[in-house]
Each structure stands twice: as C-alpha cells, then as structure tokens.
C-alpha cells in the first residue's frame, strides 16, 4: 500500500523544466495581451463615442438630425454589401475547395492552392483599382441589359448607373477578396475528412458527388460556417476597395444597379476622416464603434453555432 500511494505523489511533485515554465508563461502572456488589446480598443471607442451620441446638426456638421439617422444608412450599406459578397463567395469557395481536394490532379491542385494563398495576400488597393478600371466598365452593359429586360424584379429596378460603380460591383470586389480566405480554410477542413469514411461511401456504390455530400460536407460543416463568418468579418471591415469602387450617395436602397447607393461605415470613415474636426471626429469614431459591435456579434454567433454543432455531433 505504501509503494502504490507514494508513486502518484512522486509523479505530482516532479519539478518542471525551465523551458516549460518559460513557454507556459509566454503563452499566458500572449493570450492575456490579446484580451487586453481588445479591451483597450473597446474602451477607447466607447470613451471617444460618448459626445457623438448626443450630438446634433448644430454641433456636428456631418449630421442632418441626430447620430442614429446618420449611422443607419451606413450600417445598412455595410451589412447589405457584405451579405451580397457572402452569397457570391461561399458557393464559389466551396466549389474551388472541393475541386482542389477531390477532383483536380495532384500537380494542378498544388498550383491552385498556391494561387489561392497568393490571392489572399493581394492588397485591397489593387482590388480597388481592378474594380474601377476593369470590372465596373465590363459589368455596366450587363446592368443596363438586366434593367431593361428584368426591371420588374425589385432588385433590378431603377435607372442603371452609367459608370457601373454600384453597390453590386463593390460586392463583387468584396466577394473576390474573401474567396481566397474561405477557400483556404475549407480546403484544409476537407483534407481532414477521414479517409475511411470516403472509402466506405465509395465501396457502398456512391458516386464521387454522393460521397462528398454524405461524408465530406457533413464532416466540414462547422469549418464551413467558421470560414464563412471569417469572410463576412473581412467583408464588413473592408475599407479601401469599397471606397474606391463604390459611388455612394448615402441613400438606403436595395436596388443593385442604380447610381443611388448606400455607403459603408469603413469606407465613409476613410473618406471623411481627413477633413473631420471637433465633434465630427467623435461621430466617425462612434460609427467605428457600431462596426466593432457588429463584427463582434457576428463572430460570437459563428462561434456559438460551431460549438453547438460540435456538441451535437459529439452527442451522436
């Protein structure tokens, strides 16, 4: 009895090596710095935003009535452009990721993987220049044709823009920017699918698409949600590309092809901040606080969905 009880006590009293202590301390410090930085940013935004909540057109020239009337169209444009981009980016990203992992030859898959990773590193200014000089003139005739032949559809109604610099063009640019991020994450998730699951589906007579639908996509569902929310966060906070491409008027409109376009919070801050003064600076910082809250909520909801799916799959 004495020998058996002494062994666990001896294991619990093993002295840790200095390297382990340094590494654990460094990891704890790094994690704490993330939380401290996030808290510091939130505190700065809240303090600087307090004067804007009670501002009016008399104290801030940016406002026509009050702060909420000013930020409402900007918030609408931010969410609308990001959702449109996500609707285009997620199916395309899933298709590219599935092609790389399950259809393309190995050499072609490696090359496409490198290209996807390189696209994620392209600066947003380059995408903005591409949107202005190439994309907008190219899609303008398409907008005019859709407006003339399908103008009965509410999203296609209104007079088509003569420049093509609409909210839909900005959404296309955002979709191109977030596709590499979503694709890279989905590709890594699909590669982690157990080979036995795939081989079992194929052995039972399933086609390759049926195998993907029954084995690969269910396994990577939580990863797809995480990748989509990460892409949504990128689209919500994108600044320069939207500011360069979008010809905004500040109106709230669901129409995709007209010259009456809402702006986004990030683009509005980038374009307005250099000339802002006094309370106008607080107003712009307050809009940044709203964007901060929206992105925080989006990521929190995504984390909740992923955790719920993990618990559900673990229970089954």
């Amino acid at each position: 009895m004495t020998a058996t009880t002494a062994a666990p006590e001896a294991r619990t009293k093993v002295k840790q090596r200095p390297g382990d202590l340094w590494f654990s301390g460094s990891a704890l410090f790094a994690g704490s710095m993330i939380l401290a930085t996030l808290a510091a940013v939130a505190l700065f935004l809240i303090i600087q935003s307090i004067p804007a909540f009670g501002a009016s057109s008399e104290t801030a020239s940016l406002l026509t009535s009050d702060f909420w009337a000013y930020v409402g169209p900007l918030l609408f444009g931010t969410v609308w452009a990001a959702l449109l981009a996500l609707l285009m980016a997620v199916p395309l990203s899933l298709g590219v990721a599935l092609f790389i992992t399950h259809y393309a030859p190995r050499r072609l898959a490696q090359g496409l993987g490198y290209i996807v990773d390189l696209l994620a590193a392209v600066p947003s200014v380059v995408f903005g220049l591409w949107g202005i000089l190439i994309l907008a003139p190219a899609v303008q005739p398409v907008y005019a044709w859709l407006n003339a032949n399908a103008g009965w559809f509410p999203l296609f109604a209104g007079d088509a823009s003569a420049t093509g610099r609409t909210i839909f063009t900005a959404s296309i640019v955002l979709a191109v920017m977030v596709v590499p991020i979503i694709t890279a994450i989905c590709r890594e998730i699909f590669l982690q699918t157990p080979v036995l699951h795939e081989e079992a589906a194929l052995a039972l007579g399933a086609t390759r698409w049926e195998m993907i639908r029954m084995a690969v996509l269910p396994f990577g569902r939580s990863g797809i949600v995480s990748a989509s929310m990460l892409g949504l966060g990128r689209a919500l906070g994108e600044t320069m590309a939207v500011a360069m491409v979008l010809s905004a008027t500040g109106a709230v409109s669901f129409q995709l092809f007209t010259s009456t376009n809402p702006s986004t919070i990030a683009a509005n801050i980038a374009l307005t901040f250099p000339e802002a003064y006094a309370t106008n600076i607080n107003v712009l910082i307050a809009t940044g606080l709203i964007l901060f809250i929206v992105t925080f909520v989006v990521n929190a909801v995504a984390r909740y969905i992923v955790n719920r799916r993990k618990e559900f799959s673990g229970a089954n």
Side-chain angles (χ1 to χ4, degrees), residues 14 21 38 109 112 206 214 222 235-236 305:
V14 173
L21 294 176
L38 182 64
L112 288 177
M214 292 186 299
S222 60
L236 287 172
I305 294 174

Side-chain angles (χ1 to χ4, degrees), residues 88 130-132 135-137 139-140 143 163-175 245-246 256-257:
M88 291 181 281
W130 170 76
I132 292 177
L135 180 62
V139 298
Q140 196 280 329
Y143 294 168
T163 62
R165 296 174 59 184
T166 68
I167 189 69
F168 192 69
T169 305
S171 300
I172 295 175
V173 174
L174 289 177
V245 174
L246 182 60
L256 301 179
F257 305 147

